[in-house]
Amino acid sequence: MCWPEGRLNEVVFGLAEGKVRMGYIKKQYKSESLYGTSSYVVALASSPSGQFIVSGHLDHSIIRMDIEKKEKIQIVQHTSIPYALDWGRHIMAAGNDQLLVFYDENGSVVQRFDYATDSSVKEFTMASFNPSGETVVVGNFNKFFMFTYNYLRAQWEETIINRIENYYSISSLAWKKDGSKLVTGNLCGSVDIFDICMKVSRYKGKFEIKHVSPSQVIVKKLDTGESAVMKSTSSEISRIRIHSDRFVVAQTGESVLLCDIVSGKASEVPWKGSGNEKYDFSNAGVCMIYNAGELSIIEYGRSEVKGMCRIEYMSPFLISVRVSYTAEEKAKYVIAYLFDEQTMRIQDIDTNTILATIDHDAKIDYLTLNHKGTKLLFRDKQKQAHLFDINKQTKTTLVSYCSYVNWALNTDVVVAQNKNLLCIWYSIEQPEK
């Protein structure tokens, strides 16, 4: 039996008569036949994407099926009965001939591990890849083997042989969703939990960083217990930094990963860094990366660069980004930034449309958008605070001798300080009142 990734209401199971069926949980427990063979089904596994399944049979055959297209094909005739079968970065199959083989999705051999000369190695009984698909555990008699994919060498490596006396055959294996723990069950009814990690380190005494695989780490804040999982789909994570005790930046050879520990949202975007990048986390929900005069904007939880623009002034006081949602839950991305010392530009990031260009008669030292991205507050070097309405394209002076001005959190209420006076605008649509 297997539960394909992303198919919450569909369970695939194999029968002794050789059939493979799909069960539908929310359809009054109905099921349908996916395909049939004449040989007993001994193992099932799904691809990491959930689109394909593979089945191992008593006649040594391994069959792959595309669930969407309903197409099946025998990809390989294994050397033994593939009792231990799973699919991660590659398809792994092993049985009672002490031979463990990694195949690609078309059945071509990627790598072999032969233990026929080791008398302590018995029949392989069970296999399970971790959630990232880079580490596989294979059960045997009184032991289990662990293999990890090495990105630099582009090959699988045996990393651990964990021997447990009198444990007998391992009959089941399961991973915790974040890959940090492995559960094993054996022939005698014992269930055991193992902590799995490659390396554990501390960051400035405030964070614990646990590497559970080459491309997956768990970052935990020690004082609050908050944690986040960062997983790369491209290559090995090589460097990790934490900013403002909240935002995590991890780098691989091909990408950059960003994570907000509080929200738990993470993103990965392709990135060939120069090493001179500047990261800004001052705007809620997004990270800004500045490199060689170009600003890239990335929203946490979305693995894409939402927008790019060229700027000359990289300061959290001179750039403002807002992400708002319409009634139809459609996101709107707006950025305001300083084009030159006396000119501001407001831009729709999605469409790359310039919403407004504001020319001012004095140098600007501060700007910020409201939470909906429809109005802009800014202050100049003459200490005057102004309001610009993007929809009406109008500019209004709010107060002089202003030492502070900002929006109240997630509202359209403006708070400003004029010498010893505190000024508040509750109805900003009519700022003169």
Side-chain angles (χ1 to χ4, degrees):
M1 180 183 293
C2 72
W3 206 324
E5 180 69 26
R7 298 176 178 272
L8 302 180
N9 300 310
E10 301 172 2
V11 178
V12 181
F13 55 93
L15 305 178
E17 62 188 28
K19 289 183 178 180
V20 175
R21 298 182 66 86
M22 175 83 81
Y24 300 95
I25 297 174
K26 289 191 175 181
K27 292 185 179 180
Q28 298 180 346
Y29 302 99
K30 290 183 179 179
S31 67
E32 66 173 354
S33 178
L34 294 180
Y35 59 91
T37 68
S38 59
S39 183
Y40 188 106
V41 181
V42 298
L44 276 172
S46 69
S47 66
S49 66
Q51 182 180 349
F52 299 91
I53 59 170
V54 287
S55 58
H57 297 263
L58 198 63
D59 63 358
H60 302 190
S61 64
I62 297 177
I63 295 174
R64 185 196 73 204
M65 180 180 184
D66 187 326
I67 298 176
E68 298 291 338
K69 298 180 180 179
K70 306 294 184 184
E71 297 174 352
K72 76 177 181 74
I73 183 174
Q74 180 177 332
I75 59 172
V76 70
Q77 188 77 11
H78 191 58
T79 57
S80 63
I81 302 172
Y83 289 110
L85 178 69
D86 203 12
W87 195 339
R89 187 174 183 86
H90 295 112
I91 299 170
M92 200 284 312
N96 55 10
D97 61 352
Q98 293 80 47
L99 180 64
L100 189 150
V101 185
F102 290 92
Y103 299 101
D104 65 17
E105 62 179 14
N106 297 314
S108 299
V109 175
V110 175
Q111 201 169 343
R112 296 172 182 261
F113 291 87
D114 193 349
Y115 297 94
T117 59
D118 188 341
S119 60
S120 68
V121 177
K122 309 299 182 183
E123 177 182 2
F124 289 110
T125 55
M126 191 69 190
S128 181
F129 278 92
N130 71 343
S132 68
E134 300 165 327
T135 298
V136 63
V137 171
V138 191
N140 203 273
F141 183 80
N142 281 349
K143 65 172 75 70
F144 63 77
F145 294 74
M146 182 177 290
F147 299 87
T148 300
Y149 188 77
N150 187 316
Y151 281 97
L152 296 177
R153 299 179 181 177
Q155 67 180 29
W156 290 92
E157 295 178 349
E158 178 193 288
T159 53
I160 294 175
I161 302 177
N162 194 359
R163 294 178 172 83
I164 312 170
E165 291 302 320
N166 302 316
Y167 202 70
Y168 299 102
S169 294
I170 292 177
S171 57
S172 59
L173 295 165
W175 289 86
K176 189 177 177 181
K177 188 174 179 61
D178 62 10
S180 63
K181 295 184 185 297
L182 173 72
V183 182
T184 66
N186 75 347
L187 186 66
C188 301
S190 175
V191 177
D192 300 275
I193 301 176
F194 297 85
D195 278 315
I196 304 294
C197 69
M198 299 173 59
K199 180 176 70 173
V200 179
S201 59
R202 293 288 177 95
Y203 187 90
K204 296 183 178 180
K206 298 179 180 180
F207 296 88
E208 179 186 79
I209 301 176
K210 181 181 288 188
H211 295 253
V212 296
S213 74
S215 67
Q216 183 170 328
V217 298
I218 302 172
V219 181
K220 180 180 179 181
K221 196 172 184 179
L222 296 175
D223 58 349
T224 63
E226 293 175 311
S227 63
V229 179
M230 302 183 71
K231 175 185 174 183
S232 171
T233 59
S234 59
S235 57
E236 183 176 348
I237 294 174
S238 58
R239 185 182 181 188
I240 297 175
R241 289 167 292 168
I242 301 174
H243 301 261
S244 305
D245 290 345
R246 174 176 176 176
F247 304 102
V248 186
V249 177
Q251 290 178 308
T252 73
E254 303 172 3
S255 63
V256 62
L257 292 91
L258 305 165
C259 180
D260 180 354
I261 295 179
V262 174
S263 67
K265 294 181 178 180
S267 305
E268 181 183 18
V269 295
W271 193 268
K272 290 289 186 181
S274 64
N276 298 317
E277 297 90 349
K278 295 181 180 179
Y279 295 85
D280 184 274
F281 306 93
S282 59
N283 292 276
V286 297
C287 171
M288 298 185 293
I289 306 177
Y290 179 74
N291 183 39
E294 193 168 70
L295 187 72
S296 301
I297 301 162
I298 302 162
E299 183 183 4
Y300 302 114
R302 296 178 181 268
S303 294
E304 60 178 337
V305 176
K306 287 304 301 180
M308 303 175 72
C309 58
R310 294 200 64 83
I311 64 171
E312 297 297 329
Y313 304 91
M314 180 58 187
S315 167
F317 304 112
L318 300 174
I319 301 173
S320 182
V321 179
R322 294 293 180 264
V323 182
S324 59
Y325 293 88
T326 63
E328 294 79 20
E329 294 298 318
K330 183 179 179 181
K332 180 183 179 182
Y333 303 85
V334 178
I335 181 173
Y337 58 94
L338 202 62
F339 187 67
D340 61 37
E341 289 183 336
Q342 296 180 206
T343 306
M344 293 165 290
R345 182 166 284 178
I346 305 172
Q347 181 177 330
D348 186 315
I349 299 172
D350 263 341
T351 62
N352 207 29
T353 303
I354 303 300
L355 302 177
T357 298
I358 309 163
D359 294 314
H360 195 57
D361 55 4
K363 292 182 179 179
I364 298 156
D365 64 1
Y366 177 76
L367 61 83
T368 179
L369 289 163
N370 67 339
H371 69 293
K372 295 179 181 178
T374 56
K375 293 178 175 61
L376 176 70
L377 275 177
F378 65 95
R379 186 185 64 183
D380 57 33
K381 292 285 188 179
Q382 298 174 358
K383 300 299 181 183
Q384 287 188 323
H386 307 269
L387 173 72
F388 183 82
D389 190 309
I390 300 173
N391 295 326
K392 297 178 182 178
Q393 297 286 298
T394 58
K395 182 171 68 172
T396 306
T397 300
L398 295 179
V399 65
S400 300
Y401 304 105
C402 177
S403 57
Y404 173 85
V405 64
N406 208 339
W407 301 97
L409 185 64
N410 294 329
T411 70
D412 283 339
V413 176
V414 175
V415 180
Q417 183 176 354
N418 166 243
K419 295 184 177 179
N420 295 326
L421 297 177
L422 181 65
C423 307
I424 302 176
W425 287 262
Y426 289 102
S427 180
I428 201 62
E429 295 294 340
Q430 299 175 308
E432 67 277 2
K433 295 183 179 180

